[in-house]
Amino acid sequence: MSATRSILLVIAFTLASRITAHYHSSTSSPSQQAEWRPARATYYAAADPRDAVGGACGYGDLGKSGYGKATAGLSTALFERGQICGACFEVRCVEDLRWCIPGTSIIVTATNFCAPNYGFPADGGGRCNPPNSHFVLPIEAFEKIAIWKASNMPIQYRRIKCRKEGGMRFAIDGAGIFLSVLITNVAGAGDIVAVKIKGLRTGWLPMGRNWGQNWHINADLRNQPLSFEVTSSDGTTLTSYSVASQNWNFGQTFIGKQLDS
């Protein structure tokens, strides 16, 4: 009888251990995916609507390209030489109860670069100098999480998946055999690490990153429908066939498929 009870106790202990181990592994995974990191944020107030045009990611007019005011310029430590362009972040104000708006956060897309100012130390005016993690936000976005008088605020941020309406956009520019493609409105990881293009009379041709999310190639692809293969930073590859029709022209924008968000 005692031997039977001993066996039952061992079985019960083993089952309990397995259940406990499964519980801990399943609850720790989301926190690893949503890790908050410390940074600081400042804002800018555009004196002229034209200030919203341009940026180191090459998106041009942020209103027309669909990003609006939910954008951010990132310091050197975060910008990754432009590869991060298009990535999405959730940002919240922390620590300073005088200026933070409690229980709020914003979602912004990386669209610009905050250049370092080596005339000042990183802890004394050079806010975007390495190794600082710094966000520069439009005042419209900043005021959703903090009072504008706060100016340089401690924040927390985390990388999240981008949610976009409609398909990925391919804006074609260039001249002759030089082809430049700006890729915007990217869901999922948001940032692109590789692009290939294909014409009717070619195989898949790799494109090079020009700057930000502008990609280029020297190839005669005129008078051919164009297909694109896009790979995001999480390793997901999406192919959009015949995005541009045979009679495409420079200066046109075409819509392809979209990554899962």
Side-chain angles (χ1 to χ4, degrees), residues 14 17 21 28 31 46 65-66 75 81 99 135 150 156 165 172-173 196 207 209 227-228 234 248 254-255 261:
T14 303
S17 299
S28 62
S31 64
S65 56
S75 62
R81 297 185 177 181
W99 308 117
F135 285 69
Q156 289 180 334
E165 294 184 4
I172 300 176
D173 206 347
K196 292 181 181 179
M207 302 187 75
R209 187 192 300 275
S227 303
F228 294 92
D234 63 359
W248 63 267
F254 300 91
I255 299 176
S261 57

Side-chain angles (χ1 to χ4, degrees), residues 101-238:
I101 300 175
T104 61
S105 68
I106 55 174
I107 295 174
V108 295
T109 302
T111 60
N112 208 345
F113 174 52
C114 179
N117 183 349
Y118 293 115
F120 296 94
D123 59 352
R127 296 169 179 172
C128 290
N129 293 4
N132 294 346
S133 294
H134 197 93
F135 285 69
V136 180
L137 305 170
I139 190 170
E140 293 87 349
F142 187 91
E143 286 187 316
K144 292 182 183 299
I145 58 171
I147 307 301
W148 68 270
K149 290 183 179 180
S151 184
N152 187 12
M153 282 294 300
I155 62 166
Q156 289 180 334
Y157 72 94
R158 62 180 175 183
R159 182 82 177 265
I160 62 171
K161 280 193 171 185
C162 298
R163 297 181 181 274
K164 302 295 181 183
E165 294 184 4
M168 203 177 297
R169 298 180 189 137
F170 300 86
I172 300 176
D173 206 347
I177 65 170
F178 176 76
L179 191 73
S180 175
V181 180
L182 170 63
I183 304 176
T184 61
N185 201 52
V186 181
D191 54 339
I192 297 168
V193 297
V195 178
K196 292 181 181 179
I197 189 171
K198 182 182 183 303
L200 182 64
R201 299 186 293 272
T202 72
W204 286 104
L205 307 173
M207 302 187 75
R209 187 192 300 275
N210 195 351
W211 53 287
Q213 290 301 349
N214 279 280
W215 298 78
H216 70 276
I217 190 171
N218 285 309
D220 190 356
L221 294 167
R222 293 169 291 186
N223 302 313
Q224 302 177 60
L226 302 179
S227 303
F228 294 92
E229 181 185 279
V230 174
T231 302
S232 57
S233 63
D234 63 359
T236 303
T237 297
L238 180 69

Side-chain angles (χ1 to χ4, degrees), residues 55-95:
C57 292
Y59 291 136
D61 188 313
L62 296 176
K64 291 182 179 180
S65 56
Y67 296 105
K69 299 294 185 180
T71 59
L74 304 183
S75 62
T76 304
L78 299 173
F79 193 63
E80 299 179 8
R81 297 185 177 181
Q83 181 182 305
I84 202 69
C85 291
C88 295
F89 298 88
E90 184 176 8
V91 177
R92 66 186 183 187
C93 181
V94 294
E95 295 181 15

